Amino acid sequence: MRIATWNVNSITARLPRLLAWLENTGTDVLCVQETKSTLEQFPSDALRELGYEAAVNATGRWNGVALISRVGLDDVVKGLPGGPEYEGVEEPRAISATCGGARVWSVYVPNGREVTHDHYAYKLRWLEALRVAVAEDSAGERPFAVLGDFNVAPTDQDVWDPALFEGATHVTPAERDALAALREGGLSDVMPRPLKYDQPYTFWDYRELRFPKNRGMRIDLVYGNGPFTAAVKDSYVDREERKGKGASDHAPVVVDLDL
DNA sequence: ATGTCACATAGGATGTGA
């Protein structure tokens, strides 16, 4: 089974690339983030023509997540049970389902903005709610993984210039501790191969020529439990998809499994 | 270069978020 995660930065703007990418890679299950769509705008028909079902948690202009699968899509749960609200709204940042024998989550962790911002405290509460929500499946015997845009670089190796990020979100000890707590619950970071350069970055800002200069971060992660990681044959970041006009600012992370 | 995108509102520039 080939499973992947991709922050598409608008499913509508990315649709031609998304459809071509699914066909070219033969991906079985795709976790998407930042659909920036309503349920009505989601391109379920175009995906169905390619042989995929979709489960969507999206409410409009911001956020939005989905699962796209051609190997089954059962027991869908929309949202993060016990998750916090932001400004009185339960944002669409999580969706989970069973696909081809694996339990899979697609998550879009809050950005945090700045460490002094309410959004940062919200981010930490969200990550703690995620830890609690996935604890049972993380420790279970069924292949299980949380995939998505975590908006946290797990180590300094995952940032092109750690000095530049001092005092910024995505690299603070509290954020990294939240990832460590997920790992202590039974999940492991599935490290992808870079297709070029030493570090497998997954995100490069659109500004400042960050992609051509390879000034990126690894913030799109695959956290799998023991049965999931034992089945991993290969993983890579498809940086080719970050190239050219009409690219997302994130590249897909692909995992091949003996499942 | 605070350098790019994508979306919404409004009614063709400007605000928001990343």
Side-chain angles (χ1 to χ4, degrees):
Chain A
M1 181 162 81
R2 172 164 278 183
I3 183 166
T5 181
W6 189 9
N7 179 325
V8 293
N9 185 21
S10 171
I11 194 111
T12 308
R14 219 61 60 211
L15 187 59
R17 273 184 177 253
L18 173 70
L19 296 176
W21 189 84
L22 284 171
E23 279 209 291
N24 292 338
T25 61
T27 296
D28 296 302
V29 180
L30 177 62
C31 305
V32 300
Q33 302 85 37
E34 284 209 82
T35 65
K36 293 185 171 176
S37 70
T38 60
L39 182 57
E40 291 70 28
Q41 291 164 332
F42 194 89
S44 299
D45 292 343
L47 289 164
R48 193 174 303 112
E49 283 176 25
L50 276 187
Y52 291 89
E53 303 171 83
V56 182
N57 184 15
T59 55
R61 163 172 205 193
W62 304 120
N63 314 305
V65 290
L67 288 164
I68 296 168
S69 173
R70 63 178 189 183
V71 291
L73 193 55
D74 300 314
D75 301 320
V76 173
V77 176
K78 296 182 183 182
L80 172 59
E85 295 182 344
Y86 186 69
E87 295 181 339
V89 177
E90 188 184 333
E91 298 179 319
R93 294 181 175 276
I95 189 166
S96 51
T98 302
C99 306
R103 187 72 187 167
V104 174
W105 283 59
S106 174
V107 300
Y108 178 48
V109 177
N111 175 287
R113 301 182 189 168
E114 294 167 25
V115 294
T116 54
H117 199 287
D118 284 349
H119 211 259
Y120 177 75
Y122 167 57
K123 180 181 196 173
L124 295 178
R125 285 198 300 274
W126 202 94
L127 283 165
E128 171 58 12
L130 178 65
R131 183 191 67 77
V132 172
V134 303
E136 191 174 331
D137 279 330
S138 298
E141 294 304 312
R142 176 173 57 172
F144 173 74
V146 183
L147 304 92
D149 179 356
F150 283 71
N151 269 314
V152 180
T155 74
D156 279 353
Q157 299 287 98
D158 299 308
V159 180
W160 63 275
D161 184 359
L164 198 69
F165 284 83
E166 251 180 80
T169 61
H170 294 58
V171 301
T172 65
E175 289 164 279
R176 287 174 172 172
D177 286 350
L179 293 189
L182 286 173
R183 295 193 297 270
E184 283 154 19
L187 301 178
S188 302
D189 188 342
V190 176
M191 181 63 73
R193 288 184 290 119
L195 297 186
K196 191 180 177 185
Y197 306 115
D198 295 332
Q199 294 299 323
Y201 299 140
T202 65
F203 163 79
W204 301 258
D205 200 295
Y206 284 124
R207 294 167 287 192
E208 300 176 330
L209 300 173
R210 290 272 180 92
F211 182 67
K213 294 178 178 175
N214 197 35
R215 295 179 174 176
M217 307 175 81
R218 187 174 73 95
I219 57 176
D220 299 273
L221 309 175
V222 178
Y223 268 39
N225 72 353
F228 184 94
T229 56
V232 172
K233 290 189 297 183
D234 189 22
S235 180
Y236 65 94
V237 180
D238 190 357
R239 70 185 301 283
E240 296 300 309
E241 191 51 49
R242 180 61 179 79
K243 293 182 177 178
K245 196 169 168 56
S248 171
D249 43 1
H250 296 250
V253 179
V254 179
V255 182
D256 287 323
L257 299 146
D258 271 321
L259 284 179

